[in-house]
Structures are given as structure tokens and as C-alpha cells.
Amino acid sequence: MAGHSHAKNVMHRKAAQGAKRAQAFGKLIREITVSAKMGLPDPAMNPRLRAAVKAALVANMTRDTIDRAIKRASDAGQGEGYEEVRYEGYGPHGIAIIVEALTDNRNRTGGDLRSMFAKNGGALGETNSVAFQFERKGVLRFKPAVGSADAMLEAAIEAGAEDVESDEDGHEVSTSVEDFAAVRDALEAKFGQAEAAKLEWWPSTTIDLDEERAREVLKLIDALDDHDDVQTVYANFEVDAAAAERLSAA
């Protein structure tokens, strides 16, 4: 299980840059509501809801707000109108982009995203037009304090994980989709609840961009990410560390 480093530049930039608080909370509440509606309203019995609650707590959402969102999901009609939709397309310089959304109006969301792609030098494509350039992975992230790199690696191998990457930011464990639940349960039993536990799209290969070209791609990604219906954006590009730091500060 040699060290595997996937494209995290966009993720790190967004984490450092942050989103408007109200909009970010709105997206988190939508995910909590849909997760509770699709499964049991108890995070202990609903892994997707547990992950959504954890993300909300990390974003400093109050427990009362989270509990109200879960309660609303139990009320008639709440969360039923939303559907999960995946949009795919190409950005500037041939960068492949996957957008995951929760929407109550597929036509509205699709039209909005199509316009964003077009205005920023890209084009929205059909389903599966770029997904073949990505792999669906189960991902768990733990704080560095939960254990050493060796301890995490040993436990992950025993649990059936595919790969582990440990650094000063923490431990990142990747699994196949099929093994995700079993690996999550095993590692959380040993190290406590993960900071994040979800399915993600990882690029099979990445395109190296210089700072100027990366800025053009990030302009589109930021526009997509700011849309109320968009939950997550994935792209298959990399920039070097120095350029990434400058872009983060921009």
C-alpha cells in the first residue's frame, strides 16, 4: 500500500477560503434533511446522516440546529422533493469536472450549471461523459492525534482498505465502494468517529496546470460551488505547491 496522493488542491483551497456561512449551513442542513429522510433519523443507525452531522459540527453548526433539521425530516414532505443528481462536463483547458447536487428542480439546476460552464470556458456534457476519468472511492479522514501513521496503516490493512496517506494534517484512508462500510466500522471502533466518512470521485490521472490556467479553472469551480444546489465539485487537475498557496491566498 504505497503512498497514494490524489488531487487535493481544490479541496484544500476551498477549506482555507471557506464559504459564506449562511450558504454553507444551508447546504449542510439540506444534506442532513435528505440523509435523515432516506434512512433512519438516528445518526448512530444511519452512516450518511452521521457523516452529515459530523460535517455540520466541524463547521460550527449548533447541536440545536442539527437536531431541528433532523426533526423536520420526520415531518411530512420535508426532504422528499430533493433528488441527487450528478452533472459532468469539461472546464477550461480540457479539465474534467463532476458536480454532485441535491435539487428539487432538475431543469433549473441543469440550466444554471450549463450557463456557468459556458460562461467560464467550459461545456456541460451528458452523464458519464467524464466519469470514466475518475474512480469512485470510499474515504475516511481522521485527525493526526488518533494514532500514529504505522498504527493507522496496520489497522487499515487489517480492515481491508486500499490505501492510507498520513501527514501533519491527519490520516486519509481510501477503500473500494463495496468495502467502505466494513472499513469505516472497523476503524471507527478502534480510533473513534472519523472527521469525514463518505464516497468521493478521485481522478484516475491528473492534468498539471500552471498558476494562470489553474486560476481560470478555479473561477468556474468557485461559481459552481457557490450554487445553492451544488454539494461537491471534483476536478482532475493539479498545480504545484507554491502556486496552490498563492491561489489560496487570492
Side-chain angles (χ1 to χ4, degrees), residues 104-196:
D104 58 357
N105 188 324
R106 182 189 288 253
N107 290 334
R108 179 200 66 222
T109 304
D112 289 349
L113 299 194
R114 187 177 302 278
S115 177
M116 289 178 185
F117 270 89
K119 288 178 180 178
N120 290 281
L124 187 66
E126 300 297 326
T127 301
N128 295 320
S129 60
V130 307
F132 68 93
Q133 300 182 57
F134 294 77
E135 295 179 89
R136 193 66 162 160
K137 295 280 190 181
V139 184
L140 298 114
R141 296 186 176 91
F142 293 89
K143 289 183 177 180
V146 302
S148 68
D150 287 344
M152 182 62 69
L153 178 61
E154 182 180 350
I157 292 174
E158 184 176 345
E162 290 184 345
D163 210 348
V164 181
E165 182 181 349
S166 297
D167 56 26
E168 66 276 8
D169 294 326
H171 310 283
E172 182 179 73
V173 180
S174 60
T175 81
S176 67
V177 173
E178 295 76 15
D179 293 336
F180 174 60
V183 173
R184 180 199 61 220
D185 292 347
L187 294 184
E188 288 191 338
K190 185 174 181 64
F191 297 106
Q193 188 170 325
E195 278 292 287

Side-chain angles (χ1 to χ4, degrees), residues 1-247:
M1 297 203 349
H4 172 89
S5 178
H6 73 286
K8 295 190 289 186
N9 291 342
V10 175
M11 182 198 325
H12 284 174
R13 179 174 186 272
K14 298 303 292 182
Q17 187 183 49
K20 297 182 181 66
R21 185 179 178 87
Q23 183 187 54
F25 275 19
K27 292 185 179 186
L28 289 166
I29 288 172
R30 184 178 298 191
E31 173 64 18
I32 289 169
T33 303
V34 171
S35 299
K37 179 62 70 173
M38 292 177 66
L40 295 172
D42 179 2
M45 304 296 293
N46 183 335
R48 176 170 173 174
L49 177 58
R50 185 166 70 245
V53 168
K54 182 65 176 180
L57 291 172
V58 169
N60 295 318
M61 185 181 293
T62 66
R63 176 63 70 172
D64 284 347
T65 300
I66 293 169
D67 290 343
R68 284 197 298 271
I70 294 174
K71 184 178 184 302
R72 281 197 300 272
S74 301
D75 297 335
Q78 290 294 322
E80 292 179 348
Y82 291 114
E83 61 177 323
E84 296 177 291
V85 185
R86 187 178 83 234
Y87 297 94
E88 303 176 27
Y90 285 96
H93 312 297
I95 298 302
I97 297 175
I98 292 178
V99 182
E100 292 182 330
L102 287 174
T103 178
D104 58 357
N105 188 324
R106 182 189 288 253
N107 290 334
R108 179 200 66 222
T109 304
D112 289 349
L113 299 194
R114 187 177 302 278
S115 177
M116 289 178 185
F117 270 89
K119 288 178 180 178
N120 290 281
L124 187 66
E126 300 297 326
T127 301
N128 295 320
S129 60
V130 307
F132 68 93
Q133 300 182 57
F134 294 77
E135 295 179 89
R136 193 66 162 160
K137 295 280 190 181
V139 184
L140 298 114
R141 296 186 176 91
F142 293 89
K143 289 183 177 180
V146 302
S148 68
D150 287 344
M152 182 62 69
L153 178 61
E154 182 180 350
I157 292 174
E158 184 176 345
E162 290 184 345
D163 210 348
V164 181
E165 182 181 349
S166 297
D167 56 26
E168 66 276 8
D169 294 326
H171 310 283
E172 182 179 73
V173 180
S174 60
T175 81
S176 67
V177 173
E178 295 76 15
D179 293 336
F180 174 60
V183 173
R184 180 199 61 220
D185 292 347
L187 294 184
E188 288 191 338
K190 185 174 181 64
F191 297 106
Q193 188 170 325
E195 278 292 287
K198 57 183 179 177
L199 299 178
E200 297 182 350
W201 292 96
W202 282 16
S204 302
T205 58
T206 56
I207 299 173
D208 291 327
L209 296 181
D210 60 27
E211 186 173 345
E212 181 178 352
R213 292 184 177 185
R215 194 181 304 277
E216 294 176 29
V217 176
L218 286 169
K219 182 180 178 183
L220 170 57
I221 289 174
D222 285 346
L224 295 168
D225 195 64
D226 284 341
H227 193 284
D228 287 343
D229 296 340
V230 171
Q231 296 295 105
T232 318
V233 182
Y234 302 95
N236 69 339
F237 75 99
E238 285 274 19
V239 295
D240 65 51
E245 187 173 345
R246 289 190 294 272
L247 289 166

